[in-house]
Amino acid sequence: MLTVIGEGLVDVVQRASGIQAHVGGSPLNVAVGLARLDHPVQFIGRYGRDAYGDAVAAHLRSSSVMLPWGPDEQPTSVATALIDDDDGAATYTFDLTWELPGLADRLGFMLQGTTLLHTGSIATMLAPGAADVLAAVEYAHPSATISFDPNCRPSIITDVDYARRQAEKFVTLADVVKASDEDLQWLYPGRDVLDSARQWLSLGGSEGPAMVVVTRGAAGPWGVTAAGEAECAAPRVEVADTVGAGDSFMAALLSGLVDRHLDGAQNRKELRELPAEGLAEILAHASRAAAVTVSRPGANPPSREELNAVPGDVPGE
């Protein structure tokens, strides 16, 4: 069982041609991406007992994501995305609530059988829920692979020093970390982004990350493990928009590791020993998933069948 903890929300996408609403939220998108790649996954995140909340639950269930955490009485969170018609890039503003009251008392039940726990983004930064997410990661760490994507939102968390401290708490506990070059530029201004990623690899010592990956848009992803560094080119596609691209990449990255049977704390040694060639294959696999997503509107990650139809080798097969 794979578990994703984090925010679910509704993206209200504004273009020159009109307004559309899509279910989103970085962790939610990762959960959907994993489920569409045929992994059993549950999503733990809040949504309201309202029309937007109904849409969140329906979207997750339509991709066979399990929902052990029900709706509450707060409004469902909303992100407004303004799409640049020239390059498809999205700029966000947010109206959200993030809390998971009572989660600590239910972790033993909710995380039973979890071999990989993913979190990131707003869920790991915004109080009061961020403390609950950190407690869940600490609880799961002895038995599960931990993955983290900071997916920084400077319009929400404006204090970069606080954001850096929070990110480093989760990086230290994580086995797999993915960040964009923009994340690292904001968190560590004036430092080369790849040097920042290398520094993250050293956090936590032998219990810290086995892999740190940096996405760089059209320049393609780069990653580092104890065994070396790897990168690959980004596939060339016509971009509809970039909404959810990083989340599709994250889901396919994790899927590639699970397909190689590298999830679960008992496989940490094997994960740490993943050679640079294997990392390169997984980066290419994840890049193809992101390419499918940017080729169509909204956060719409590919199914395994769609991804396998994209030219290139599939890791683990």
Side-chain angles (χ1 to χ4, degrees):
M1 169 68 71
L2 311 183
T3 297
V4 177
I5 300 181
E7 73 273 6
L9 47 79
V10 171
D11 288 315
V12 178
V13 181
Q14 297 182 353
R15 305 172 183 269
S17 58
I19 298 175
Q20 291 182 310
H22 305 278
V23 173
S26 176
L28 181 148
N29 292 339
V30 173
V32 170
L34 285 167
R36 291 187 183 178
L37 295 174
D38 297 336
H39 300 288
V41 58
Q42 62 177 353
F43 175 74
I44 300 173
R46 71 153 303 273
Y47 51 97
R49 205 179 302 276
D50 52 24
Y52 278 161
D54 292 344
V56 167
H59 178 69
L60 287 161
R61 291 187 178 115
S62 71
S63 291
S64 300
V65 177
M66 290 170 274
L67 284 171
W69 194 270
D72 58 38
E73 301 307 318
Q74 302 260 29
T76 300
S77 297
V78 175
T80 300
L82 180 62
I83 303 297
D84 187 320
D85 288 336
D86 292 330
D87 61 8
T91 303
Y92 290 91
T93 58
F94 297 88
D95 179 13
L96 49 82
T97 299
W98 177 239
E99 58 183 0
L100 295 169
L103 177 63
D105 296 332
R106 301 171 64 186
L107 287 175
F109 170 73
M110 300 193 95
L111 299 183
Q112 187 175 13
T114 291
T115 61
L116 184 149
L117 186 151
H118 172 76
T119 191
S121 194
I122 299 165
T124 60
M125 299 283 175
L126 188 64
D132 294 319
V133 176
L134 182 61
V137 168
E138 291 172 336
Y139 183 94
H141 186 270
S143 60
T145 300
I146 306 298
S147 66
F148 171 62
D149 176 4
N151 199 2
C152 298
R153 300 298 187 186
S155 61
I156 299 174
I157 306 299
T158 58
D159 185 341
V160 67
D161 293 327
Y162 166 79
R164 187 184 307 117
R165 290 193 301 271
Q166 282 294 105
E168 290 178 355
K169 288 179 186 178
F170 285 92
V171 170
T172 300
L173 289 164
D175 300 291
V176 179
V177 180
K178 189 275 286 184
S180 70
D181 51 1
E182 292 180 348
D183 291 334
L184 292 171
Q185 286 164 359
W186 183 67
L187 289 170
Y188 303 98
R191 184 195 288 180
D192 179 82
V193 296
L194 303 189
D195 285 342
S196 296
R198 295 182 185 107
Q199 178 63 30
W200 273 5
L201 191 73
S202 69
L203 291 181
S206 61
E207 293 298 315
M211 173 190 302
V212 179
V213 172
V214 181
T215 55
R216 304 175 294 176
W222 171 97
V224 58
T225 69
E229 301 178 4
E231 62 185 324
C232 73
R236 293 191 177 187
V237 295
E238 184 174 344
V239 176
D241 63 49
T242 61
V243 177
D247 304 326
S248 289
F249 181 97
M250 184 82 245
L253 175 71
L254 297 177
S255 176
L257 296 175
V258 174
D259 286 348
R260 290 171 178 262
H261 308 291
L262 293 174
D263 55 318
Q266 74 278 10
N267 293 316
R268 280 201 168 103
K269 181 176 182 292
E270 287 76 12
L271 179 60
R272 288 183 174 280
E273 293 173 351
L274 180 71
E277 296 81 8
L279 173 61
E281 291 175 1
I282 292 172
L283 293 179
H285 178 66
S287 293
R288 292 192 291 274
V292 173
T293 300
V294 301
S295 72
R296 53 201 192 190
N300 187 4
S303 66
R304 184 174 288 262
E305 182 180 7
E306 289 175 315
L307 185 52
N308 287 352
V310 179
D313 295 330
V314 180
E317 294 188 0

